[in-house]
């Protein structure tokens, strides 16, 4: 079947646009123009029922400056990523904007972000301007990927309540740091050094059925899409042999 020059040009433009969107998701220097809204609730923080599987941590991490994401959710890979979000209305918006952590999936009215009310208000110049922003409901924004930083806080492993010792292990990774995504996780027996590649169950939750036995070491692959820059991070501390659901374990490591 012959392809016209017009159709070929249209296809080329579409491929370039798709590539641009993919690159923008991880580009720390790229500023993207979009729209943002907010979800009001009684405490102004995030939700403890987010798609990332963070639970109550997802409502209060980063002092409640959190957000749902649409395309940036990326089937859970985007969970824990940080973005600097600035609204562009010069009558109400500050130059600093707000840094938010992705903890949930959601979209509305052509938005990339639905911020917590707390985060949405922080984009404003003053308290009065924040009230005016909230009355608008949806605002034009510009955003870029930035490094997540939790001073004095190590990456932490939270054993999910759905886990059942010793046959099923599920856990979420808290306090993801730096600008890279966690794209793979291995669970290793500390005595035999045998490792098992885990499945991403949903969001930031990884599972193993059954998990390896004994004390366990986790390996996390931090990636920005460039294989040459991929980095495996191995925590200092292990998950104990008698791990329990609901338990929280400090990895002992931070990532710049």
């Amino acid at each position: 079947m012959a392809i016209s020059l017009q159709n070929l040009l249209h296809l080329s433009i579409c491929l370039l646009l798709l590539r641009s969107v993919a690159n923008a998701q991880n580009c720390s220097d790229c500023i993207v123009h979009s729209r943002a809204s907010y979800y009001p609730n009684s405490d102004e923080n995030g939700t403890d029922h987010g798609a990332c599987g963070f639970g109550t941590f997802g409502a209060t991490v980063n002092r409640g400056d959190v957000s749902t994401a649409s395309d940036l959710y990326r089937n859970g890979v985007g969970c824990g990523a940080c973005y600097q979000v600035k609204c562009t209305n010069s009558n109400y918006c500050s130059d600093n904007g707000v840094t938010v952590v992705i903890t949930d999936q959601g979209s509305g009215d052509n938005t990339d972000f639905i911020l917590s009310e707390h985060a949405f208000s922080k984009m404003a110049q003053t308290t009065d301007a924040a009230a005016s922003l909230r009355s608008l409901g949806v605002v034009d924004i510009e955003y870029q990927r930035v490094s997540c930083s939790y001073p004095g806080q190590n990456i932490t492993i939270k054993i999910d309540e759905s886990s059942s010792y010793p046959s099923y292990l599920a856990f979420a990774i808290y306090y993801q740091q730096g600008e890279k995504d966690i794209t793979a996780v291995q669970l290793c027996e500390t005595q035999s050094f045998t490792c098992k590649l885990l499945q991403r169950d949903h969001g930031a939750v990884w599972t193993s059925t059954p998990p390896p036995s004994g004390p366990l070491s986790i390996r996390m692959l931090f990636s920005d899409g460039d294989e040459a820059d991929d980095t495996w991070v191995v925590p200092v501390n292990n998950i104990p042999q008698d791990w329990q659901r609901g338990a929280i374990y400090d990895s002992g490591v931070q990532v710049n």
Side-chain angles (χ1 to χ4, degrees), residues 2-12:
I3 300 178
S4 69
L5 179 60
Q6 182 178 3
N7 288 338
L8 184 60
L9 179 61
H10 178 72
L11 178 60
S12 299

Side-chain angles (χ1 to χ4, degrees), residues 35 44 47 59 68 75 110 128 132 135 147 154 156 158 164 168 179 223 238:
R35 285 154 58 87
E44 298 184 348
T47 174
T68 73
N75 294 318
N110 296 315
D128 289 341
S132 297
S135 69
S147 180
N154 297 326
T156 301
K158 164 68 183 301
S164 179
Y168 174 71
E179 293 184 32
S223 175
N238 296 325

Side-chain angles (χ1 to χ4, degrees), residues 196-215:
K196 179 180 182 179
L197 187 64
L198 303 189
Q199 296 291 324
R200 185 189 297 274
D201 184 76
H202 66 281
V205 178
W206 301 81
T207 62
S208 178
T209 309
S213 59

Side-chain angles (χ1 to χ4, degrees), residues 1-94:
M1 179 183 295
I3 300 178
S4 69
L5 179 60
Q6 182 178 3
N7 288 338
L8 184 60
L9 179 61
H10 178 72
L11 178 60
S12 299
I13 292 173
C14 289
L15 290 174
L16 285 172
L17 288 174
L18 289 173
R19 180 175 296 178
S20 297
V21 170
N23 290 339
Q25 290 173 348
N26 283 314
C27 176
S28 60
D29 295 325
C30 298
I31 296 177
V32 182
H33 295 273
S34 183
R35 285 154 58 87
S37 183
Y38 73 98
Y39 50 94
N41 54 29
S42 59
D43 59 8
E44 298 184 348
N45 292 331
T47 174
D48 56 4
H49 301 291
C52 289
F54 287 139
T56 55
F57 173 82
T60 59
V61 64
N62 196 38
R63 300 171 299 280
D65 291 338
V66 299
S67 180
T68 73
S70 51
D71 292 342
L72 295 173
Y73 179 76
R74 292 175 288 145
N75 294 318
V77 176
C79 290
C82 293
Y83 293 86
Q84 186 75 11
V85 182
K86 303 177 183 180
C87 58
T88 57
N89 188 322
S90 60
N91 293 323
Y92 307 124
C93 303
S94 72

Side-chain angles (χ1 to χ4, degrees), residues 188-191 213-217 238-241:
C188 305
E189 294 184 2
T190 57
Q191 297 177 349
S213 59
L216 302 173
S217 174
N238 296 325
I239 295 176
Q241 179 175 347

